[in-house]
Amino acid sequence: MICEELKSRKNFIEEDFIELRDSVEGLISVIEKYKDMGYNSSTYIDDLKDFLADIKLTLKEKKITDRELKNLNFLREDYFRTYGDSIYEYYVYDKNNLEKTHKANDEIEIAKKRFGKILYKITEKVIYHMI
């Protein structure tokens, strides 16, 4: 249908989704690294792991359904309203070690920006192909 051209573009799955997978894995890794410093870190990690499982399934099957592509258009709104806003607001704090706090938050910020950038790139492609 409206997304056939997009679905048939192998590089959409193989390049962008691999980059998305890597960014989510990076974000999980950084949050796990500093989870002892963050509030409710396990909830963030579990949510990201669920999202990562969906990405891996898409990559394994080498296809994505029309419904999933359409949902990507709303992913930032729906996903981030529930989880993403809190991910972007996620930070850690160690009152006894401010240097460690700054270092951890810098690493987390870099991972969050990478994640947001690739997700934005994918949703922009979907929006473009839906017009």
Side-chain angles (χ1 to χ4, degrees), residues 60-79:
K60 181 181 178 183
E61 294 178 357
K62 298 286 187 196
K63 65 178 184 170
I64 189 166
T65 66
D66 284 342
R67 182 173 173 251
E68 289 168 327
L69 279 173
K70 290 174 187 173
N71 286 341
L72 280 174
N73 184 29
F74 304 104
L75 182 61
R76 280 187 299 180
E77 294 174 20
D78 294 339
Y79 182 79

Side-chain angles (χ1 to χ4, degrees), residues 114-125:
R114 181 178 177 213
F115 173 62
K117 183 179 175 182
I118 185 57
L119 190 59
Y120 180 80
K121 180 179 169 183
I122 290 171
T123 54
E124 285 296 305
K125 285 184 180 183

Side-chain angles (χ1 to χ4, degrees), residues 29-114:
S29 174
V30 171
I31 292 174
E32 284 179 336
K33 182 177 177 181
Y34 298 108
K35 70 181 175 183
D36 60 318
M37 296 172 61
Y39 173 74
N40 209 10
S41 298
S42 59
T43 301
Y44 294 98
I45 293 167
D46 291 343
D47 291 340
L48 285 168
K49 284 182 178 179
D50 289 343
F51 185 51
L52 182 60
D54 292 338
I55 295 167
K56 287 182 177 180
L57 182 62
T58 298
L59 285 168
K60 181 181 178 183
E61 294 178 357
K62 298 286 187 196
K63 65 178 184 170
I64 189 166
T65 66
D66 284 342
R67 182 173 173 251
E68 289 168 327
L69 279 173
K70 290 174 187 173
N71 286 341
L72 280 174
N73 184 29
F74 304 104
L75 182 61
R76 280 187 299 180
E77 294 174 20
D78 294 339
Y79 182 79
F80 285 110
R81 187 175 298 122
T82 306
Y83 306 113
D85 287 342
S86 60
I87 288 171
Y88 281 120
E89 294 171 5
Y90 182 81
Y91 66 92
V92 295
Y93 180 71
D94 182 346
K95 66 180 179 181
N96 298 320
N97 191 339
L98 291 180
E99 187 175 327
K100 182 179 178 182
T101 298
H102 290 300
K103 180 183 179 219
N105 286 322
D106 288 347
E107 284 184 49
I108 291 167
E109 188 63 29
I110 290 167
K112 290 188 296 189
K113 284 182 180 180
R114 181 178 177 213

